[in-house]
Structure formats: structure tokens, C-alpha cells
Amino acid sequence: MGSRGAGGGSRPAFRLHYASFESRVAAGALDVLVLFIIASLLVTAGSLIVLISSDFERVEPSSTALSAFWVCVALIPVAFLLYFFIGLAWKGQTVGAAVMQLMVVRSDGRPLGVLGAMARVIGLLAYVLLAGIGIVGAYALRESTVAAGAVLGGALVLAALGILWAAFDRHRRTLHDRLAGTIVVRLV
């Protein structure tokens, strides 16, 4: 992406350096670690409620405590979505991207903002949709292990291809980047 002079358009007056595929994978791995910590904290909170309710396993836990545990578990996907949305809307970065010195911006180089972050999170949900289609398809074809495995495997391969697309794209964009109209740049 080139630069424009002082009076021209909304593009930034600097050159964007696209993030490498490797740095994006490293940032993604760090984000998975953060998501694991978030999930662990929620499950631990729910487990502590059950443990305290059961008087440290001396009596049966109350149904309220068990419900609180399942609420904590149900909050995991919500927390994941909020992790991505808040980080991207606020700074254009998740924890992994910040550590790897990457930033998500619109394709024209402008900051992501709230709507851009929302579009990117929706784009990320495309992978969840593909995996869900594979799981439902595999369940529907459960009588045939080969067919069920093929449907699930096909869906997971499609999701992986959406991410691997960045390795071959000139601007290093994945499927969710294309859906959201974003690019990932290196902060230099």
C-alpha cells in the first residue's frame, strides 16, 4: 500500500508493512493461551462455587451452585467474543498481536473502530460456522464412520484453508480479513 501526499484522501501518510504469516501464527498461538486462561478462570470460579456449596464435598451441592457452575461454563464463548471485540475496538490488537507488534486496521489503513471490530469478530465466527457444519454433518452421518469423518474432516480442512490463505496472499489476508475488509500490519 502506497502513501499519499498531504491533501489526499483518507489513507495514512505512511507505508503499511503487512504482517508475516509466521508472526500472525505466533500471535494466534498467544491468543489461544490467553483464551485458555480465561476459560480456566471461569471454570475455576464455577467449581469453587460448587465446592463451597457442598461444604468441601461433605454434602451434596445445591442446585443453585450447580446452575452457577453451568452459567460460568456458558460464559466462556461470550468471554472469547468479548476478548476479541474489546481488544480490536480499543487498540486494534489482541494480547497476542500486541506481543508480536501487530495491529489490525481497515484495508485502507484507517483504525478499525467499533464497527470494524464487530465485522472482524463476525468474520472469525465463519470458522465456528464451518466447524459447526462439520459436527452437525458428522452427527447426521454417524451410521457411517467414513462419511462422518469425511464431512467433519472436510469442514476442518476448509477452516484451515481460510487461515492458510494468508501464507499465499500478497497482503497476507485470511478469510476473516477478507470478510471484514481488514489487514494485519506490523508496527515498525
Side-chain angles (χ1 to χ4, degrees):
M1 220 166 219
S3 63
R4 285 200 176 175
S10 63
R11 287 194 176 171
F14 56 88
R15 181 165 170 73
L16 296 175
H17 299 277
Y18 299 109
S20 69
F21 178 71
E22 296 83 6
S23 62
R24 291 189 68 173
V25 169
L30 290 170
D31 285 333
V32 167
L33 180 62
V34 171
L35 293 174
F36 179 76
I37 291 169
I38 290 169
S40 298
L41 288 172
L42 285 168
V43 169
T44 300
S47 298
L48 284 173
I49 292 169
V50 170
L51 189 63
I52 291 168
S53 168
S54 69
D55 196 23
F56 296 90
E57 296 186 358
R58 289 190 187 116
V59 296
E60 288 294 315
S62 69
S63 62
T64 305
L66 292 174
S67 295
F69 171 80
W70 289 112
V71 166
C72 288
V73 170
L75 286 175
I76 292 172
V78 174
F80 286 4
L81 291 174
L82 285 173
Y83 168 76
F84 285 109
F85 175 73
I86 291 170
L88 293 172
W90 181 36
K91 290 221 173 187
Q93 297 176 306
T94 59
V95 172
V99 169
M100 296 305 298
Q101 297 183 338
L102 306 177
M103 179 179 271
V104 181
V105 295
R106 295 174 191 247
S107 293
D108 62 4
R110 291 183 298 139
L112 210 53
V114 173
L115 291 177
M118 203 176 302
R120 180 135 172 125
V121 169
I122 290 169
L124 286 169
L125 291 175
Y127 301 112
V128 175
L129 179 64
L130 282 171
I133 289 170
I135 291 168
V136 169
Y139 180 77
L141 299 170
R142 66 187 177 274
E143 297 299 322
S144 170
T145 307
V146 173
V151 168
L152 182 58
L156 295 178
V157 165
L158 285 175
L161 287 175
I163 294 168
L164 290 174
W165 193 341
F168 305 102
D169 185 78
R170 181 167 68 102
H171 301 296
R172 303 287 182 243
R173 292 182 299 173
T174 59
L175 173 63
H176 60 277
D177 287 319
R178 289 182 176 278
L179 291 173
T182 59
I183 55 173
V184 180
V185 296
R186 191 169 35 98
L187 299 175
V188 283

